[in-house]
Amino acid sequence: MKKELFLIIPVLIVSFATTAIVLGYENKSDKDELLQHYEGYMNKQHTESIEIHPEEDYLYSMYQTQDDNKIGVLEYSLNNTSSNEIANNEDIVLIPLNGEQNNYMGIKFNKSASDIKHIEITVNNEVQEYIINQEEDNSYTDTFLIPVDFDPNNISKIVTFDKKSNQVTSLDR
């Protein structure tokens, strides 16, 4: 019995390891294929990606059009595409998107992006706070894109704050 167990355990370990490697490779190949199709789609649309977030079977991204200075949020899969574009001419641009997989809130900070530490979003009279730039980081971002569990079209106000909690900008909708 011990001999059989001694022989079976290495075979099981090798089988599990091989399966994990093959599945990991197939998953990576699927993501590579998705990204290749996405890049082709973006080139045809004359857009430039600002940030990309790949998931298992889809990705979501924020992009800028090359022709008419719009900012957009896109949910892309091989079977479906959802997007929304907004003119990029404000201090803050909010791009809401109700996708097939998730709802998304994209924000582009066009004024004082390096000063922004956190934002407050008012949705259905409820305020939610998001940290944007960490004080420890020497860099900053001028975009913010996340999946949300609410309808982003219900956002009524966005207020940005600096590191000292002073209001920088606001957007009322």
Side-chain angles (χ1 to χ4, degrees), residues 41-57:
Y41 175 83
M42 296 302 280
N43 286 334
K44 286 180 188 175
Q45 302 300 315
H46 303 286
T47 57
E48 181 181 332
S49 297
I50 297 172
E51 61 179 275
I52 304 169
H53 301 273
E55 296 292 332
E56 187 77 24
D57 299 326

Side-chain angles (χ1 to χ4, degrees), residues 113-125:
S114 62
D115 296 332
I116 297 171
K117 181 180 183 225
H118 70 278
I119 60 174
E120 290 182 356
I121 308 290
T122 304
V123 182
N124 300 325
N125 295 323

Side-chain angles (χ1 to χ4, degrees), residues 5 7 31 50 68 72 86 101 103 148 157 160 172:
L5 191 58
L7 292 174
K31 283 188 179 181
I50 297 172
D68 53 4
I86 305 290
Q101 302 292 327
N103 293 332
V148 293
K157 188 172 189 172
T160 64
D172 290 310

Side-chain angles (χ1 to χ4, degrees), residues 73-86:
V73 172
L74 171 74
E75 180 186 81
Y76 180 86
S77 71
L78 297 177
N79 301 323
N80 189 38
T81 301
S82 302
S83 65
N84 187 22
E85 293 179 353
I86 305 290

Side-chain angles (χ1 to χ4, degrees), residues 1-91:
M1 179 70 174
K2 286 184 181 182
K3 264 186 177 180
E4 293 168 349
L5 191 58
F6 183 72
L7 292 174
I8 291 175
I9 289 177
V11 170
L12 287 174
I13 290 172
V14 169
S15 297
F16 287 136
T18 303
T19 302
I21 290 169
V22 168
L23 290 176
Y25 178 76
E26 287 176 3
N27 190 20
K28 184 176 180 346
S29 295
D30 290 346
K31 283 188 179 181
D32 289 345
E33 180 184 8
L34 179 65
L35 285 171
Q36 287 175 352
H37 284 274
Y38 167 79
E39 288 173 6
Y41 175 83
M42 296 302 280
N43 286 334
K44 286 180 188 175
Q45 302 300 315
H46 303 286
T47 57
E48 181 181 332
S49 297
I50 297 172
E51 61 179 275
I52 304 169
H53 301 273
E55 296 292 332
E56 187 77 24
D57 299 326
Y58 68 98
L59 60 83
Y60 61 98
S61 70
M62 184 180 292
Y63 63 90
Q64 183 168 339
T65 62
Q66 295 172 354
D67 301 336
D68 53 4
N69 195 33
K70 290 185 177 178
I71 300 291
V73 172
L74 171 74
E75 180 186 81
Y76 180 86
S77 71
L78 297 177
N79 301 323
N80 189 38
T81 301
S82 302
S83 65
N84 187 22
E85 293 179 353
I86 305 290
N88 186 21
N89 59 4
E90 307 267 337
D91 293 340

